[in-house]
Amino acid sequence: MTGTVTHDPPPGGNRPGAPLIVTEDTGLLDDLLRLCAAAGATPEVHHGLPGPRGSWEAAPLVLVGDDAARRARGVPRRQGVVLVGRDQDDPGVWRRAVEIGADHVLMLPDGEQWLVDRIADVAEGVGRPALTVGVIGGRGGAGASTLACALAVTSAREGLRTLLVDADPLGGGLDVALGGETAKGLRWPAFASSHGRVGGGALEESLPELHSLRVLSWDRGDCLSVPPRAVRAVLAAARRGGGAVVVDLPRRVDEGVAEVLAQLDLALLVVPAELRAVAAAGRVASAVGMVLRDLRVAVRGPYAPGLDGQEVARLLGLPLVGDVPVEPALQRPYGTGRPPGVTGRGPLARFCREFWDRALVEARAA
């Protein structure tokens, strides 16, 4: 049997994120349709092969059932082809994959989660993941939350899609720092039951929007943690949208924080320039460094005698990002609606702009 089956396409017929399924195996087709539904994608299904100038070339992802591999030998080579089967012990499957130019061989049911993630990626049009930066205080009161807010506000003002994530349930809530305690949207406890994959677009739309960025903070309830698997799913969704993600980190490292650290591109350790703070920061750096490789120090004045930014960085054995300016305007209470860096003027805003300029160049070169 040869033909095309359309499964409720959206209006207009143009579905750039729609995967293509090629199989006559009804049981395999049912499983692939189920996985597409879990990923939020509406596929195009062919029992035979589509024309070479049709959906075979246009689809962002092609799932070829092992039953259809022989028929697919003559199709044009392209990226994004996955050969899907069930027989784990079939040695011929790899030969058939080479014959059709498949990038991957996937066996169900073991590969279901990988396939759901891949389908969801093409459905969301995922490109380069967000540059994800953590900020952590070397000691209490170091100013990490202030810097995290200023970095996020600066990123959004520069036109980047930006998410600010509060990973410290005991920190009082970054929505308060941004003047949005009563803003509508979900907080961390709403994601406590999340597992598998969270849709990036759905996550972003569900969060409060403050100062042109999205904020994931804690509510005022009794929930002080979410399971590590939920943290992993939410942070992965936040990263998939591109742009920048800024995470305000607590100074302890538990399982949930370790999940956050594993998804960071880099982190800034904010250290006041006095010896006790340097000693405390050394312990924080030791714990964080067990998970995160790229940890840098940002030093905050005023400086104790004999200390400067270079000396603090040398004592900690970390690269120096620079000196974090202290502005008198930042001494006013949180919740005034004017978060740090919001005007784009002053030394702190300039520090944040220069940081993003360097970090984005590094990310593009990586």
Short mmCIF file of all heavy atoms in Angstrom, two decimals, residues 196-259:
data_model
loop_
_atom_site.label_atom_id
_atom_site.label_comp_id
_atom_site.label_asym_id
_atom_site.label_seq_id
_atom_site.Cartn_x
_atom_site.Cartn_y
_atom_site.Cartn_z
N GLY A 196 10.80 14.06 32.42
CA GLY A 196 10.91 13.93 30.97
C GLY A 196 11.24 15.28 30.36
O GLY A 196 12.17 15.95 30.78
N ARG A 197 10.43 15.71 29.41
CA ARG A 197 10.71 16.94 28.69
C ARG A 197 9.64 17.98 28.96
O ARG A 197 8.45 17.68 28.92
CB ARG A 197 10.79 16.66 27.19
CG ARG A 197 11.15 17.90 26.37
CD ARG A 197 11.06 17.58 24.90
NE ARG A 197 11.35 18.75 24.10
CZ ARG A 197 12.51 19.00 23.52
NH1 ARG A 197 13.49 18.15 23.68
NH2 ARG A 197 12.69 20.09 22.81
N VAL A 198 10.06 19.19 29.22
CA VAL A 198 9.16 20.34 29.37
C VAL A 198 9.30 21.17 28.11
O VAL A 198 10.42 21.46 27.65
CB VAL A 198 9.53 21.17 30.61
CG1 VAL A 198 8.68 22.44 30.68
CG2 VAL A 198 9.35 20.35 31.88
N GLY A 199 8.20 21.57 27.51
CA GLY A 199 8.24 22.39 26.30
C GLY A 199 8.82 23.76 26.59
O GLY A 199 8.40 24.45 27.52
N GLY A 200 9.81 24.17 25.79
CA GLY A 200 10.45 25.46 26.02
C GLY A 200 9.50 26.63 25.86
O GLY A 200 9.47 27.55 26.68
N GLY A 201 8.70 26.61 24.79
CA GLY A 201 7.76 27.69 24.58
C GLY A 201 6.69 27.76 25.65
O GLY A 201 6.34 28.84 26.14
N ALA A 202 6.19 26.59 26.05
CA ALA A 202 5.17 26.56 27.10
C ALA A 202 5.72 27.06 28.42
O ALA A 202 5.04 27.77 29.17
CB ALA A 202 4.64 25.13 27.25
N LEU A 203 6.97 26.68 28.73
CA LEU A 203 7.60 27.17 29.97
C LEU A 203 7.68 28.69 29.97
O LEU A 203 7.25 29.36 30.92
CB LEU A 203 9.00 26.58 30.11
CG LEU A 203 9.85 27.18 31.24
CD1 LEU A 203 9.28 26.79 32.60
CD2 LEU A 203 11.31 26.75 31.12
N GLU A 204 8.19 29.23 28.89
CA GLU A 204 8.39 30.68 28.83
C GLU A 204 7.07 31.44 28.96
O GLU A 204 6.97 32.43 29.69
CB GLU A 204 9.09 31.04 27.52
CG GLU A 204 9.53 32.49 27.45
CD GLU A 204 10.49 32.73 26.29
OE1 GLU A 204 10.91 31.75 25.65
OE2 GLU A 204 10.78 33.90 26.03
N GLU A 205 6.05 30.97 28.27
CA GLU A 205 4.76 31.66 28.32
C GLU A 205 4.11 31.56 29.69
O GLU A 205 3.27 32.41 30.03
CB GLU A 205 3.83 31.07 27.25
CG GLU A 205 4.26 31.38 25.83
CD GLU A 205 3.40 30.68 24.80
OE1 GLU A 205 2.41 30.02 25.22
OE2 GLU A 205 3.69 30.78 23.61
N SER A 206 4.46 30.55 30.48
CA SER A 206 3.82 30.36 31.78
C SER A 206 4.43 31.22 32.88
O SER A 206 3.85 31.33 33.97
CB SER A 206 3.91 28.88 32.19
OG SER A 206 5.23 28.52 32.57
N LEU A 207 5.60 31.82 32.63
CA LEU A 207 6.32 32.54 33.68
C LEU A 207 5.97 34.02 33.69
O LEU A 207 5.61 34.59 32.66
CB LEU A 207 7.83 32.38 33.48
CG LEU A 207 8.37 30.94 33.51
CD1 LEU A 207 9.87 30.93 33.23
CD2 LEU A 207 8.06 30.27 34.85
N PRO A 208 6.11 34.67 34.85
CA PRO A 208 5.89 36.12 34.90
C PRO A 208 6.87 36.85 33.99
O PRO A 208 8.05 36.46 33.88
CB PRO A 208 6.16 36.46 36.37
CG PRO A 208 5.98 35.18 37.11
CD PRO A 208 6.41 34.10 36.18
N GLU A 209 6.39 37.89 33.34
CA GLU A 209 7.26 38.73 32.52
C GLU A 209 7.46 40.05 33.22
O GLU A 209 6.52 40.80 33.51
CB GLU A 209 6.64 38.97 31.14
CG GLU A 209 7.55 39.79 30.22
CD GLU A 209 7.00 39.92 28.81
OE1 GLU A 209 5.86 39.47 28.57
OE2 GLU A 209 7.72 40.47 27.95
N LEU A 210 8.72 40.36 33.52
CA LEU A 210 9.08 41.57 34.24
C LEU A 210 10.27 42.22 33.55
O LEU A 210 11.28 41.56 33.30
CB LEU A 210 9.45 41.26 35.70
CG LEU A 210 8.38 40.54 36.54
CD1 LEU A 210 8.98 40.02 37.82
CD2 LEU A 210 7.23 41.50 36.83
N HIS A 211 10.16 43.48 33.22
CA HIS A 211 11.26 44.22 32.60
C HIS A 211 11.79 43.52 31.35
O HIS A 211 13.00 43.39 31.14
CB HIS A 211 12.38 44.45 33.62
CG HIS A 211 11.91 45.12 34.88
ND1 HIS A 211 11.64 46.46 34.95
CD2 HIS A 211 11.62 44.59 36.11
CE1 HIS A 211 11.23 46.75 36.17
NE2 HIS A 211 11.20 45.64 36.89
N SER A 212 10.86 43.02 30.54
CA SER A 212 11.16 42.39 29.24
C SER A 212 11.89 41.06 29.35
O SER A 212 12.50 40.59 28.38
CB SER A 212 11.99 43.34 28.35
OG SER A 212 11.27 44.53 28.12
N LEU A 213 11.88 40.44 30.53
CA LEU A 213 12.45 39.11 30.68
C LEU A 213 11.48 38.24 31.45
O LEU A 213 10.55 38.72 32.09
CB LEU A 213 13.81 39.17 31.38
CG LEU A 213 13.88 39.82 32.78
CD1 LEU A 213 13.75 38.77 33.87
CD2 LEU A 213 15.18 40.57 32.93
N ARG A 214 11.68 36.93 31.37
CA ARG A 214 10.86 35.97 32.10
C ARG A 214 11.58 35.55 33.36
O ARG A 214 12.81 35.38 33.35
CB ARG A 214 10.56 34.75 31.24
CG ARG A 214 9.76 35.07 29.98
CD ARG A 214 8.30 35.33 30.28
NE ARG A 214 7.55 35.65 29.05
CZ ARG A 214 6.22 35.64 28.99
NH1 ARG A 214 5.51 35.33 30.05
NH2 ARG A 214 5.62 35.94 27.85
N VAL A 215 10.82 35.35 34.44
CA VAL A 215 11.42 35.08 35.74
C VAL A 215 10.81 33.80 36.33
O VAL A 215 9.58 33.69 36.44
CB VAL A 215 11.20 36.25 36.72
CG1 VAL A 215 11.88 35.97 38.05
CG2 VAL A 215 11.71 37.55 36.12
N LEU A 216 11.66 32.87 36.71
CA LEU A 216 11.22 31.68 37.44
C LEU A 216 11.73 31.80 38.86
O LEU A 216 12.93 31.68 39.12
CB LEU A 216 11.75 30.41 36.78
CG LEU A 216 11.44 29.10 37.51
CD1 LEU A 216 9.94 28.94 37.76
CD2 LEU A 216 11.98 27.91 36.74
N SER A 217 10.81 32.07 39.78
CA SER A 217 11.18 32.32 41.17
C SER A 217 10.41 31.38 42.07
O SER A 217 9.72 30.47 41.62
CB SER A 217 10.90 33.79 41.52
OG SER A 217 11.45 34.12 42.78
N TRP A 218 10.52 31.60 43.36
CA TRP A 218 9.80 30.82 44.37
C TRP A 218 8.60 31.61 44.86
O TRP A 218 8.62 32.85 44.86
CB TRP A 218 10.72 30.48 45.54
CG TRP A 218 11.82 29.57 45.14
CD1 TRP A 218 13.04 29.94 44.62
CD2 TRP A 218 11.81 28.15 45.17
NE1 TRP A 218 13.77 28.83 44.32
CE2 TRP A 218 13.06 27.71 44.65
CE3 TRP A 218 10.88 27.19 45.58
CZ2 TRP A 218 13.38 26.37 44.55
CZ3 TRP A 218 11.22 25.86 45.47
CH2 TRP A 218 12.44 25.45 44.96
N ASP A 219 7.56 30.89 45.29
CA ASP A 219 6.41 31.59 45.86
C ASP A 219 6.64 31.76 47.36
O ASP A 219 7.73 31.50 47.88
CB ASP A 219 5.11 30.85 45.55
CG ASP A 219 5.08 29.44 46.13
OD1 ASP A 219 5.93 29.13 47.00
OD2 ASP A 219 4.21 28.65 45.72
N ARG A 220 5.61 32.21 48.05
CA ARG A 220 5.76 32.45 49.50
C ARG A 220 5.27 31.26 50.32
O ARG A 220 5.07 31.37 51.52
CB ARG A 220 4.96 33.70 49.90
CG ARG A 220 5.19 34.93 49.04
CD ARG A 220 6.53 35.59 49.27
NE ARG A 220 7.59 35.08 48.41
CZ ARG A 220 7.79 35.44 47.16
NH1 ARG A 220 6.98 36.28 46.55
NH2 ARG A 220 8.79 34.95 46.49
N GLY A 221 5.08 30.10 49.67
CA GLY A 221 4.56 28.93 50.35
C GLY A 221 5.65 28.14 51.08
O GLY A 221 6.80 28.60 51.24
N ASP A 222 5.28 26.93 51.50
CA ASP A 222 6.18 26.11 52.30
C ASP A 222 7.09 25.23 51.46
O ASP A 222 8.00 24.59 52.00
CB ASP A 222 5.36 25.21 53.24
CG ASP A 222 4.58 26.02 54.27
OD1 ASP A 222 5.06 27.12 54.63
OD2 ASP A 222 3.51 25.55 54.71
N CYS A 223 6.89 25.15 50.16
CA CYS A 223 7.73 24.31 49.30
C CYS A 223 9.12 24.93 49.16
O CYS A 223 9.25 26.06 48.69
CB CYS A 223 7.09 24.14 47.93
SG CYS A 223 8.08 23.17 46.77
N LEU A 224 10.13 24.19 49.59
CA LEU A 224 11.50 24.70 49.57
C LEU A 224 12.41 23.90 48.64
O LEU A 224 13.63 24.11 48.63
CB LEU A 224 12.08 24.72 50.98
CG LEU A 224 11.37 25.63 51.97
CD1 LEU A 224 12.02 25.53 53.34
CD2 LEU A 224 11.39 27.07 51.48
N SER A 225 11.84 22.97 47.90
CA SER A 225 12.65 22.20 46.96
C SER A 225 11.74 21.55 45.93
O SER A 225 10.55 21.37 46.17
CB SER A 225 13.48 21.13 47.68
OG SER A 225 12.63 20.14 48.24
N VAL A 226 12.34 21.24 44.77
CA VAL A 226 11.66 20.42 43.77
C VAL A 226 12.60 19.27 43.44
O VAL A 226 13.82 19.39 43.60
CB VAL A 226 11.30 21.24 42.50
CG1 VAL A 226 10.33 22.35 42.83
CG2 VAL A 226 12.55 21.79 41.85
N PRO A 227 12.07 18.14 42.98
CA PRO A 227 12.93 16.99 42.70
C PRO A 227 13.98 17.32 41.65
O PRO A 227 13.73 18.12 40.73
CB PRO A 227 11.94 15.93 42.19
CG PRO A 227 10.61 16.35 42.74
CD PRO A 227 10.64 17.84 42.78
N PRO A 228 15.16 16.71 41.76
CA PRO A 228 16.22 16.97 40.78
C PRO A 228 15.79 16.75 39.34
O PRO A 228 16.18 17.50 38.44
CB PRO A 228 17.33 16.00 41.19
CG PRO A 228 17.12 15.79 42.66
CD PRO A 228 15.64 15.85 42.86
N ARG A 229 14.95 15.73 39.09
CA ARG A 229 14.53 15.48 37.71
C ARG A 229 13.69 16.64 37.18
O ARG A 229 13.73 16.94 35.98
CB ARG A 229 13.75 14.17 37.62
CG ARG A 229 12.41 14.18 38.34
CD ARG A 229 11.69 12.86 38.15
NE ARG A 229 10.34 12.91 38.72
CZ ARG A 229 9.47 11.92 38.66
NH1 ARG A 229 9.81 10.79 38.05
NH2 ARG A 229 8.26 12.03 39.18
N ALA A 230 12.92 17.29 38.06
CA ALA A 230 12.14 18.45 37.62
C ALA A 230 13.06 19.63 37.32
O ALA A 230 12.85 20.36 36.34
CB ALA A 230 11.12 18.83 38.69
N VAL A 231 14.07 19.82 38.16
CA VAL A 231 15.05 20.88 37.91
C VAL A 231 15.73 20.66 36.56
O VAL A 231 15.90 21.59 35.76
CB VAL A 231 16.10 20.93 39.04
CG1 VAL A 231 17.19 21.94 38.72
CG2 VAL A 231 15.44 21.26 40.37
N ARG A 232 16.11 19.42 36.30
CA ARG A 232 16.79 19.08 35.04
C ARG A 232 15.88 19.40 33.84
O ARG A 232 16.31 20.02 32.86
CB ARG A 232 17.17 17.62 35.03
CG ARG A 232 17.93 17.17 33.77
CD ARG A 232 18.10 15.66 33.73
NE ARG A 232 18.50 15.14 35.01
CZ ARG A 232 17.83 14.19 35.69
NH1 ARG A 232 16.72 13.67 35.17
NH2 ARG A 232 18.27 13.75 36.84
N ALA A 233 14.61 19.00 33.93
CA ALA A 233 13.69 19.21 32.82
C ALA A 233 13.42 20.69 32.58
O ALA A 233 13.39 21.15 31.43
CB ALA A 233 12.38 18.47 33.09
N VAL A 234 13.24 21.45 33.64
CA VAL A 234 12.93 22.87 33.50
C VAL A 234 14.12 23.64 32.96
O VAL A 234 13.98 24.49 32.06
CB VAL A 234 12.46 23.44 34.86
CG1 VAL A 234 12.39 24.96 34.81
CG2 VAL A 234 11.11 22.86 35.24
N LEU A 235 15.33 23.38 33.48
CA LEU A 235 16.51 24.11 33.00
C LEU A 235 16.81 23.76 31.54
O LEU A 235 17.21 24.62 30.76
CB LEU A 235 17.71 23.79 33.89
CG LEU A 235 18.05 24.85 34.94
CD1 LEU A 235 18.55 26.13 34.28
CD2 LEU A 235 16.86 25.16 35.83
N ALA A 236 16.60 22.50 31.18
CA ALA A 236 16.82 22.12 29.78
C ALA A 236 15.85 22.87 28.87
O ALA A 236 16.23 23.33 27.78
CB ALA A 236 16.66 20.61 29.61
N ALA A 237 14.60 23.00 29.30
CA ALA A 237 13.61 23.75 28.51
C ALA A 237 13.99 25.21 28.41
O ALA A 237 13.85 25.84 27.35
CB ALA A 237 12.23 23.59 29.13
N ALA A 238 14.47 25.79 29.51
CA ALA A 238 14.88 27.19 29.50
C ALA A 238 16.02 27.42 28.51
O ALA A 238 16.05 28.42 27.79
CB ALA A 238 15.29 27.62 30.90
N ARG A 239 16.96 26.51 28.44
CA ARG A 239 18.12 26.65 27.56
C ARG A 239 17.76 26.51 26.08
O ARG A 239 18.38 27.15 25.23
CB ARG A 239 19.17 25.59 27.92
CG ARG A 239 19.96 25.89 29.15
CD ARG A 239 20.86 24.71 29.54
NE ARG A 239 21.73 24.30 28.47
CZ ARG A 239 22.89 24.85 28.15
NH1 ARG A 239 23.30 25.89 28.84
NH2 ARG A 239 23.63 24.39 27.16
N ARG A 240 16.75 25.69 25.78
CA ARG A 240 16.47 25.40 24.38
C ARG A 240 15.99 26.61 23.59
O ARG A 240 16.09 26.63 22.37
CB ARG A 240 15.41 24.28 24.27
CG ARG A 240 15.96 22.90 24.51
CD ARG A 240 14.99 21.86 24.01
NE ARG A 240 13.70 21.93 24.67
CZ ARG A 240 13.39 21.32 25.80
NH1 ARG A 240 14.30 20.59 26.43
NH2 ARG A 240 12.19 21.43 26.33
N GLY A 241 15.48 27.62 24.27
CA GLY A 241 14.95 28.78 23.55
C GLY A 241 16.01 29.73 23.04
O GLY A 241 15.69 30.69 22.35
N GLY A 242 17.29 29.50 23.38
CA GLY A 242 18.34 30.41 22.94
C GLY A 242 18.39 31.67 23.78
O GLY A 242 17.68 31.82 24.77
N GLY A 243 19.26 32.59 23.39
CA GLY A 243 19.41 33.84 24.13
C GLY A 243 20.29 33.65 25.34
O GLY A 243 21.41 33.13 25.25
N ALA A 244 19.78 34.06 26.51
CA ALA A 244 20.56 33.98 27.74
C ALA A 244 19.68 33.50 28.89
O ALA A 244 18.51 33.88 28.99
CB ALA A 244 21.16 35.35 28.09
N VAL A 245 20.25 32.68 29.73
CA VAL A 245 19.62 32.26 30.98
C VAL A 245 20.58 32.61 32.11
O VAL A 245 21.76 32.24 32.07
CB VAL A 245 19.32 30.74 30.99
CG1 VAL A 245 18.78 30.32 32.36
CG2 VAL A 245 18.33 30.37 29.90
N VAL A 246 20.08 33.33 33.10
CA VAL A 246 20.88 33.71 34.27
C VAL A 246 20.27 33.01 35.49
O VAL A 246 19.06 33.08 35.72
CB VAL A 246 20.88 35.23 34.48
CG1 VAL A 246 21.74 35.60 35.70
CG2 VAL A 246 21.40 35.94 33.23
N VAL A 247 21.13 32.34 36.26
CA VAL A 247 20.66 31.58 37.41
C VAL A 247 21.30 32.12 38.69
O VAL A 247 22.53 32.18 38.80
CB VAL A 247 21.00 30.08 37.27
CG1 VAL A 247 20.37 29.29 38.42
CG2 VAL A 247 20.51 29.54 35.93
N ASP A 248 20.47 32.51 39.63
CA ASP A 248 20.94 32.92 40.96
C ASP A 248 21.05 31.67 41.82
O ASP A 248 20.05 31.02 42.12
CB ASP A 248 19.95 33.92 41.56
CG ASP A 248 20.44 34.47 42.90
OD1 ASP A 248 21.66 34.53 43.11
OD2 ASP A 248 19.58 34.82 43.74
N LEU A 249 22.28 31.32 42.21
CA LEU A 249 22.55 30.06 42.89
C LEU A 249 22.70 30.22 44.39
O LEU A 249 23.23 31.22 44.87
CB LEU A 249 23.86 29.45 42.34
CG LEU A 249 23.85 29.03 40.89
CD1 LEU A 249 25.28 28.94 40.36
CD2 LEU A 249 23.14 27.69 40.73
N PRO A 250 22.27 29.21 45.15
CA PRO A 250 22.56 29.20 46.59
C PRO A 250 24.00 28.75 46.83
O PRO A 250 24.65 28.20 45.93
CB PRO A 250 21.57 28.17 47.14
CG PRO A 250 21.39 27.21 46.01
CD PRO A 250 21.48 28.03 44.75
N ARG A 251 24.50 28.96 48.04
CA ARG A 251 25.89 28.59 48.33
C ARG A 251 26.05 27.13 48.73
O ARG A 251 27.16 26.65 48.86
CB ARG A 251 26.44 29.50 49.42
CG ARG A 251 26.72 30.92 48.90
CD ARG A 251 27.34 31.81 49.93
NE ARG A 251 26.42 32.06 51.05
CZ ARG A 251 26.69 31.79 52.30
NH1 ARG A 251 27.84 31.20 52.64
NH2 ARG A 251 25.81 32.07 53.24
N ARG A 252 24.96 26.42 48.92
CA ARG A 252 25.05 24.99 49.18
C ARG A 252 24.87 24.24 47.87
O ARG A 252 24.24 24.76 46.94
CB ARG A 252 23.99 24.54 50.18
CG ARG A 252 22.60 24.59 49.60
CD ARG A 252 21.51 24.26 50.59
NE ARG A 252 20.22 24.17 49.93
CZ ARG A 252 19.52 25.18 49.48
NH1 ARG A 252 19.98 26.41 49.65
NH2 ARG A 252 18.36 25.01 48.89
N VAL A 253 25.40 23.03 47.79
CA VAL A 253 25.26 22.21 46.59
C VAL A 253 24.56 20.92 46.97
O VAL A 253 25.17 20.01 47.53
CB VAL A 253 26.61 21.91 45.93
CG1 VAL A 253 26.43 21.05 44.69
CG2 VAL A 253 27.34 23.21 45.56
N ASP A 254 23.24 20.85 46.69
CA ASP A 254 22.50 19.61 46.88
C ASP A 254 22.22 19.01 45.51
O ASP A 254 22.75 19.47 44.50
CB ASP A 254 21.21 19.86 47.68
CG ASP A 254 20.31 20.91 47.02
OD1 ASP A 254 20.47 21.16 45.80
OD2 ASP A 254 19.44 21.47 47.71
N GLU A 255 21.39 17.99 45.46
CA GLU A 255 21.14 17.30 44.18
C GLU A 255 20.50 18.23 43.15
O GLU A 255 20.85 18.20 41.96
CB GLU A 255 20.26 16.08 44.40
CG GLU A 255 20.94 14.93 45.10
CD GLU A 255 20.04 13.71 45.16
OE1 GLU A 255 19.86 13.04 44.13
OE2 GLU A 255 19.50 13.43 46.25
N GLY A 256 19.55 19.05 43.60
CA GLY A 256 18.90 19.96 42.67
C GLY A 256 19.87 21.00 42.13
O GLY A 256 19.87 21.31 40.93
N VAL A 257 20.70 21.56 43.00
CA VAL A 257 21.68 22.56 42.56
C VAL A 257 22.71 21.92 41.63
O VAL A 257 23.15 22.53 40.66
CB VAL A 257 22.36 23.21 43.77
CG1 VAL A 257 23.48 24.15 43.33
CG2 VAL A 257 21.33 23.98 44.61
N ALA A 258 23.08 20.67 41.91
CA ALA A 258 24.02 19.97 41.03
C ALA A 258 23.44 19.83 39.62
O ALA A 258 24.18 19.92 38.63
CB ALA A 258 24.36 18.60 41.60
N GLU A 259 22.12 19.63 39.52
CA GLU A 259 21.48 19.56 38.20
C GLU A 259 21.60 20.90 37.48
O GLU A 259 21.81 20.96 36.26
CB GLU A 259 20.01 19.17 38.34
CG GLU A 259 19.77 17.74 38.78
CD GLU A 259 20.10 16.73 37.70
OE1 GLU A 259 20.40 17.14 36.56
OE2 GLU A 259 20.08 15.53 38.01
#
